[in-house]
Amino acid sequence: MKLQQLTLANFRLTEQASYEFRSKLTAITGANGRGKTNLIDAVHYLCLARSYFHPHDERLMRFGASYLWVDGQFDRAGQTFRIHGAWRPGEKGFRCDGKAYGRLSDHVGRFPAVMIAPIDINLIHEGGEQRRRLMDLTLSQEDPNYLEDLSRYNRLLRQKQAVLRGWQTTGRGDKHLLRVLTDQMHPLNLCISRRRRQWTAQMTTLFADNYRHISGGHEVPSLEYRPGWPLEAEQTASASTSEISAALGISNSHKDANLPQNEEGIVQPGINKTYNDDEAPEPIKMEQMLQQEKSSGRCLWGIHRDDLQFCLDGHPLRPHASQGQQKTYVISLKLAQAELIRQATGTQPILLLDDVFEKLDEQRVAALLDRVSAEPYHQILLTHTEQDRVRAMLSGNIDADYIAL
Amino acid sequence: MLRSDAEISRDLSVSLARLRSEMKYCVRCSNMSDEDLCRICSSSSRRQGLICVVADFRDVMAIEQTRQFAGTYHVLGGLISPMDGVGPEKLRIDELVGRIVDEQIHEILIALSATMEGDTTAFYLAKRLEPYQLTISIISRGIAIGGELEYADELTLGRSIQHRVPFGSQGY
């Protein structure tokens, strides 16, 4: 897949501008504050309907403007697509060849992209939310059902937290409602957790290979999934709720979640995916769990508490690794993320490299460039302050164009 | 309005005033009515042991237009959404339980929106109604009649496959 042309209006500092991308690699160069990062973030926005850097779209709009839009032409397997994304206060919409998507999530994954940026170091230094986002960004692009499940889970989580807050404030609440929300979240917990566990297993091999290539093979990196819910289905869904569950298409018990599917040749969609007993974490009683949640006023268990443990040579990465090692670790993860998306969708994501060479020694920079030029990446956009330095680093190894801002 | 006959404006203003002063909620089902008991609740031709639970009185109109339902209704007045400040106590769920006891109801049909809040409300009703020996059913979900398959969203299409029905049933 290749982005051939991009136009943006009122996106961050840019009032209006158009760019063409002809080569495999486009280096966007210029001094600080010229809008290099904004340009590749606009590509991210076009591909994924969201900025990589700003969770709220109003932050993307140029000061004083009342709307923003991005428009791009993609070539995918010889077919041309025009994507148009627009935002104004209270209204956001994306179109493909003039036809509006019913939901923004329908666009996600069709034109995949992976960003590698200096803020990715937060994956190591900040809380679990950053690491869950890494998993979600990959899995959402691989599988539309995952994004749907995650959206449903997050909405239910907000509902349950509202109930728990009320319970803590007043000392009482509706036990049926708390149980119903927990039951609704349960199959989503099972499904999302299983997908994240699979993702970690797939990533481990790919990213360790990337790390060895870029670092020169001296260190052994590892990655471990830490589920945030030591709850296995002590489910006691009543007969009547099970009937409703079946009608709504929601598996509400562990038994339901293991319905045979291959005999009929029909895969259970979305939240009805199967769950392997061997993967089950230590069980705790549902009632005991709810009691603790009522006391604390917070939802204590669930995939919203999942985390990833990053290690190098068997030690946690954060306190032990150098800045260069940490950066290599993160880049290796993100390259593996791109490869997983390619394997799942058959489309090679656009690689967006924002100021990626900072804190890497020359050997690692050369190895990284060797990696991305050797792998079948269809398109790479990178930013750097100095065009001459980029030219020297590339040294004719890769077909490149330059955009000077 | 200025170009139309003056009588139309007068009729409209009288109708609006009557709407405000005469329309009320049915004391039994909470549907819109101009009497204490709405026309559906007071009709002898409706099956009194069967209640269709809906969120809003507009849902009553939608179901009535199908002419496929001959029971009575119960309008909840919304869907459960704690984060919007709508807990079960804000809806007419206790009144529904009261009707089940008082009116010897034997079947409940849940006809709520196919949203998270609709699902939560359906689950909650099923939980609350567990102690009463009732048949609880829910309207089915799937591909819209007259709809092109290729334009159906993946979730609806996926669930339609999952909850497929034998050919020859349901009028096929």
Side-chain angles (χ1 to χ4, degrees), chain A residues 34-50:
Chain A
R34 300 302 296 269
K36 303 183 294 297
T37 300
N38 292 338
L39 175 50
I40 59 170
D41 196 30
V43 176
H44 192 272
Y45 190 84
L46 187 71
C47 291
L48 294 172
R50 60 185 287 188

Side-chain angles (χ1 to χ4, degrees), chain A residues 263-274:
Chain A
E263 290 169 20
E264 297 179 329
I266 294 191
V267 177
Q268 303 279 64
I271 53 181
N272 287 322
K273 286 166 188 163
T274 57

Side-chain angles (χ1 to χ4, degrees), chain B residues 15-86:
Chain B
S15 297
L16 285 171
R18 281 190 60 204
L19 175 74
R20 193 69 189 86
S21 62
E22 294 179 20
M23 290 304 279
K24 47 190 158 188
Y25 294 107
C26 170
V27 292
R28 186 187 289 171
C29 73
S30 229
N31 189 15
M32 291 297 282
S33 172
D34 51 2
E35 302 287 340
D36 285 345
L37 211 54
C38 73
R39 285 176 194 176
I40 296 170
C41 284
S42 56
S43 167
S44 59
S45 63
R46 310 293 294 216
R47 285 174 57 196
Q48 298 295 326
L50 168 63
I51 293 179
C52 176
V53 181
V54 294
D56 191 273
F57 69 87
R58 284 168 292 198
D59 301 332
V60 174
M61 294 182 204
I63 293 173
E64 281 299 288
Q65 279 172 2
T66 68
R67 300 182 182 185
Q68 297 296 313
F69 181 73
T72 61
Y73 291 91
H74 189 86
V75 181
L76 292 174
L79 295 171
I80 295 172
S81 181
M83 66 184 184
D84 298 314
V86 184

Side-chain angles (χ1 to χ4, degrees), chain A residues 40-319:
Chain A
I40 59 170
D41 196 30
V43 176
H44 192 272
Y45 190 84
L46 187 71
C47 291
L48 294 172
R50 60 185 287 188
S51 159
Y52 190 71
F53 302 99
H54 305 282
H56 304 296
D57 285 5
E58 57 266 35
R59 296 277 307 276
L60 301 175
M61 192 165 64
R62 191 174 64 88
F63 185 74
S66 57
Y67 64 89
L68 69 85
W69 55 259
V70 291
D71 187 283
Q73 180 174 297
F74 289 89
D75 176 272
R76 197 174 61 191
Q79 198 179 346
T80 302
F81 298 89
R82 179 159 288 281
I83 302 298
H84 184 89
W87 183 89
R88 68 177 71 229
E91 190 181 341
K92 181 173 183 175
F94 269 65
R95 293 174 177 273
C96 179
D97 290 336
K99 190 182 162 199
Y101 289 102
R103 293 174 301 189
L104 284 179
S105 59
D106 294 339
H107 175 63
V108 178
R110 294 193 67 200
F111 301 92
V114 169
M115 173 83 80
I116 307 181
I119 61 161
D120 290 337
I121 209 71
N122 291 346
L123 279 169
I124 296 168
H125 294 278
E126 297 214 348
E129 189 182 353
Q130 299 287 334
R131 293 178 284 280
R132 287 190 293 277
R133 185 167 170 247
L134 173 71
M135 294 191 269
D136 295 341
L137 265 174
T138 323
L139 289 165
S140 299
Q141 293 188 72
E142 283 181 34
D143 177 4
N145 285 330
Y146 180 87
L147 187 56
E148 182 70 33
D149 287 353
L150 191 65
S151 304
R152 289 167 67 88
Y153 181 87
N154 286 334
R155 191 160 180 85
L156 285 165
L157 179 64
R158 288 200 297 277
Q159 299 283 19
K160 185 173 170 183
Q161 280 169 332
V163 173
L164 288 168
R165 270 196 304 275
W167 209 302
Q168 198 189 31
T169 311
T170 61
R172 60 193 172 83
D174 191 316
K175 63 176 184 180
H176 292 310
L177 179 57
L178 190 56
R179 185 59 195 249
V180 159
L181 290 167
T182 307
D183 284 354
Q184 278 186 281
M185 289 164 80
H186 182 69
L188 298 168
N189 261 318
L190 289 170
C191 182
I192 294 168
S193 179
R194 186 184 63 90
R195 294 287 286 119
R196 287 178 175 176
R197 197 182 300 270
Q198 284 174 345
W199 176 89
T200 310
Q202 291 170 319
M203 279 287 280
T204 300
T205 316
L206 287 171
F207 114 93
D209 189 42
N210 287 332
Y211 191 95
R212 276 191 295 274
H213 187 95
I214 299 170
S215 70
H218 305 300
E219 300 129 6
V220 182
S222 60
L223 183 66
E224 189 189 330
Y225 172 66
R226 299 247 168 126
W229 62 293
L231 164 72
E232 223 296 276
E234 194 268 317
Q235 284 288 315
T236 52
S238 65
S240 60
T241 50
S242 295
E243 283 167 17
I244 300 294
S245 303
L248 297 176
I250 296 170
S251 290
N252 209 31
S253 71
H254 190 207
K255 189 180 165 195
D256 287 342
N258 277 311
L259 284 171
Q261 38 177 290
N262 294 335
E263 290 169 20
E264 297 179 329
I266 294 191
V267 177
Q268 303 279 64
I271 53 181
N272 287 322
K273 286 166 188 163
T274 57
Y275 184 71
N276 185 347
D277 274 328
D278 300 336
E279 299 171 27
E282 188 73 20
I284 68 165
K285 298 281 183 196
M286 173 75 82
E287 289 307 323
Q288 185 188 340
M289 184 196 85
L290 289 176
Q291 197 55 47
Q292 289 179 29
E293 290 188 327
K294 280 187 276 189
S295 306
S296 69
R298 290 184 301 135
C299 191
L300 297 174
W301 283 277
I303 52 100
H304 61 287
R305 312 262 302 196
D306 281 359
D307 206 345
L308 289 168
Q309 169 88 47
F310 296 158
C311 287
L312 197 61
D313 290 333
H315 302 293
L317 195 64
R318 186 163 58 171

Side-chain angles (χ1 to χ4, degrees), chain A residues 155 159 174 184 238 247 272, chain B residues 82 117 120 124 130 138 162-163:
Chain A
R155 191 160 180 85
Q159 299 283 19
D174 191 316
Q184 278 186 281
S238 65
N272 287 322
Chain B
E117 288 70 30
T120 300
Y124 182 84
E130 230 170 45
I138 188 160
Q162 191 189 11
H163 299 291

Side-chain angles (χ1 to χ4, degrees), chain B residues 125-158:
Chain B
L125 287 174
K127 198 92 182 157
R128 280 287 302 273
L129 302 180
E130 230 170 45
Y132 309 95
Q133 303 285 310
L134 289 170
T135 301
I136 302 177
S137 53
I138 188 160
I139 54 171
S140 56
R141 298 171 181 184
I143 301 299
I145 292 173
E148 297 280 354
L149 210 59
E150 66 172 309
Y151 296 126
D153 70 277
E154 286 177 25
L155 205 63
T156 304
L157 189 54

